[in-house]
Amino acid sequence: MDRPSAVERSLREAAPHEILDVIRSMIEHRHHALAVDLLLVDYAMTRLQPVGVLPHTRPPVSVHDSAPGRAFGAQEAHCVYDRSANTAAVYLPVSVRGDRLGILGVTLPVSQDEELDAAVLEDLQECADALAHEVVVAERDTDVFLQARRAERLTLAAEMQWQLLPGRSCARPEYSLGAQLEPAYAIFGDCFDWSASADDLYVTVSNGMGEGIDAALLTNLCINALRNARRAGLSLSDQACLADQAVYGQHGGSLHLSTLLFRFHLPTGDVEIIDAGSPRVWRVRKGTVEPIELEAQMPLGMFEDTAYVPQHFKVEPGDRLLFISDGVYDALSPGGEKYSLRALAASINSTRLLPAPQVPRVMLQELLGHRGSGPAADDSLVMCLDWHGRSQSREASPSNPGYVALR
């Protein structure tokens, strides 16, 4: 059997739009597979969409009540045996650094009552892992995988926002992080961003003014100004000031953004935070759900030369933080009833056993149950961060592969 490096080499040498064909050919050759399919999760994270030539001739499958969905949720291989046909369908998570992209489905021939060998499952998972990395790279040069994610057409504003995001989840030994936007196919002003180095995790959550393309353009300006300052090595306060000046310089105070800026120090759990008129923060610690009270400062771009002063708190292993935009707090039912803080706290509590990447989708689904199926008055954002902390035996080191920057 070829070593996994042969798979990786073949994928790297393939044209971006052909990497699925290459992995399919290799799995068919190595394991005599009857079928190999790639399903990517859609923007709403409710369906797994088949990758193929448009228009899709095969229907999507549900994330919630299907065998591929089970593998996607658990992030581990799931096998379904068809004894009458002497086949086994294997569904393997396609994920990279905690970002859940989709599922690789492989149908294999098996003898009556035969179970798949653990070495076969391990090799198939290595193929899925290699494919995940190449899909992320290939998306720069082909639309094949981005098209497959669409259960419906994106608005232009939503297209701009999704292209701005770093991903929808990520993980390192110290933390696990997930976020989701709604309405997924018509989002316009809410946004999030993150970046990590050996010892720091930066997280930004923004809620921009306006609607449609105007809101998307405003958010793009702000996020790129923050990235520009962060990549120049500026402090969190200076990052906020540069973004504030960029937005004010463009709009003269007529448009602004409510923004949360965080810097988590990974070795200690110390957190530096700037609350620029921002979305709210909740903490779950030892089963207790409580809001984190912060001193609100001016939104970015509201006034000229605003000075921003960071506040500090500390996270402990086992803490869960949730960052929630006003589109959640202010959502109205069809009868005009506002989504209450009590309902939000109940939703946070009911999802406490779920992993961080699954929490935003579930919370926003519960919000949809309150709001109803009509068009949303505002977009909504939920981000969830589970803090594990760094053990004393793990010291940051350039030679440690666990400390590679995410961006």
Side-chain angles (χ1 to χ4, degrees):
M1 184 178 291
D2 295 335
R3 298 190 309 169
S5 58
V7 176
E8 296 167 359
R9 184 166 56 252
S10 296
L11 289 173
R12 285 197 299 267
E13 293 172 354
H17 63 282
E18 293 178 342
I19 60 175
L20 176 56
D21 295 329
V22 169
I23 201 74
R24 178 183 288 122
S25 177
M26 296 191 74
I27 293 176
E28 289 172 349
H29 173 72
R30 293 164 73 153
H31 299 290
H32 308 291
L34 305 175
V36 179
D37 295 299
L38 175 61
L39 305 172
L40 295 180
V41 68
D42 82 314
Y43 286 102
M45 296 197 78
T46 60
R47 308 177 190 178
L48 290 162
Q49 304 264 126
V51 175
V53 178
L54 293 178
H56 297 302
T57 56
R58 291 173 296 154
V61 298
S62 171
V63 167
H64 307 296
D65 54 6
S66 66
R70 178 173 173 178
F72 183 80
Q75 286 295 285
E76 59 185 29
H78 177 59
C79 301
V80 178
Y81 293 91
D82 185 344
R83 297 303 182 185
S84 63
N86 290 334
T87 62
V90 186
Y91 302 103
L92 308 118
V94 177
S95 304
V96 54
R97 295 193 178 94
D99 194 9
R100 304 177 175 203
L101 306 179
I103 289 295
L104 181 66
V106 181
T107 303
L108 300 172
V110 294
S111 302
Q112 194 73 25
D113 299 326
E114 178 188 2
E115 299 287 330
L116 290 175
D117 187 82
V120 172
L121 294 177
E122 182 180 356
D123 184 70
L124 290 175
Q125 187 59 65
E126 289 174 347
C127 290
D129 292 341
L131 178 61
H133 282 266
E134 291 306 315
V135 166
V136 171
V137 175
E139 284 183 346
R140 301 181 305 179
D141 302 310
T142 180
D143 288 335
V144 167
F145 304 104
L146 293 171
Q147 287 173 327
R149 299 179 192 275
R150 296 159 196 241
E152 58 188 84
R153 184 171 179 175
L154 291 170
T155 65
L156 178 54
E159 185 85 49
M160 295 167 65
Q161 290 298 79
W162 284 111
Q163 289 299 305
L164 188 64
L165 300 178
R168 280 184 286 183
S169 56
C170 68
R172 269 182 45 173
E174 297 88 350
Y175 62 84
S176 178
L177 183 62
Q180 178 63 17
L181 302 170
E182 281 292 339
Y185 291 88
I187 195 75
F188 39 85
D190 287 0
C191 193
F192 56 85
D193 193 27
W194 55 64
S195 177
S197 61
D199 287 331
D200 293 304
L201 167 67
Y202 289 92
V203 175
T204 302
V205 181
S206 298
N207 181 11
M209 286 182 63
E211 298 180 357
I213 294 176
D214 289 339
L217 287 170
L218 177 65
T219 303
N220 268 259
L221 173 62
C222 177
I223 293 297
N224 280 293
L226 289 169
R227 287 174 176 171
N228 178 260
R230 185 185 72 223
R231 292 165 183 171
L234 301 185
S235 68
L236 199 68
S237 295
D238 288 340
Q239 291 175 33
C241 289
L242 188 147
D244 175 66
Q245 292 169 12
V247 175
Y248 185 85
Q250 185 70 25
H251 298 288
S254 60
L255 296 176
H256 52 78
L257 297 96
S258 298
T259 307
L260 273 173
L261 297 91
F262 290 88
R263 182 181 72 85
F264 293 84
H265 190 231
L266 301 180
T268 63
D270 291 331
V271 184
E272 189 178 12
I273 177 173
I274 292 175
D275 179 356
S278 71
R280 306 184 199 184
V281 188
W282 291 69
R283 178 176 60 205
V284 183
R285 174 175 289 175
K286 297 179 180 178
T288 301
V289 179
E290 58 186 357
I292 295 179
E293 300 298 335
L294 299 169
E295 180 185 344
Q297 301 176 65
M298 292 297 105
L300 301 180
M302 180 172 281
F303 299 107
E304 189 174 11
D305 296 329
T306 303
Y308 292 93
V309 180
Q311 301 169 71
H312 299 268
F313 67 96
K314 192 177 183 72
V315 285
E316 301 176 358
D319 280 358
R320 167 170 286 181
L321 299 181
L322 293 114
F323 320 117
I324 301 169
S325 72
D326 59 6
V328 176
Y329 293 97
D330 296 338
L332 299 177
S333 70
E337 181 183 355
K338 198 170 185 179
Y339 196 67
S340 68
L341 295 183
R342 174 187 247 176
L344 179 61
S347 180
I348 293 172
N349 189 59
S350 69
T351 57
R352 68 188 185 281
L353 299 180
L354 294 176
Q358 291 188 29
V359 170
R361 173 68 263 163
V362 174
M363 289 186 62
L364 288 170
Q365 196 67 32
E366 291 181 3
L367 175 68
L368 181 61
H370 168 83
R371 184 175 59 78
S373 59
D378 193 6
D379 41 5
S380 304
L381 180 156
V382 174
M383 177 186 286
C384 179
L385 185 150
D386 282 347
W387 183 260
H388 312 305
R390 179 176 293 179
S391 68
Q392 295 298 318
S393 62
R394 275 201 324 265
E395 296 295 333
S397 167
S399 63
N400 189 331
Y403 296 98
V404 177
L406 296 180
R407 287 189 63 78

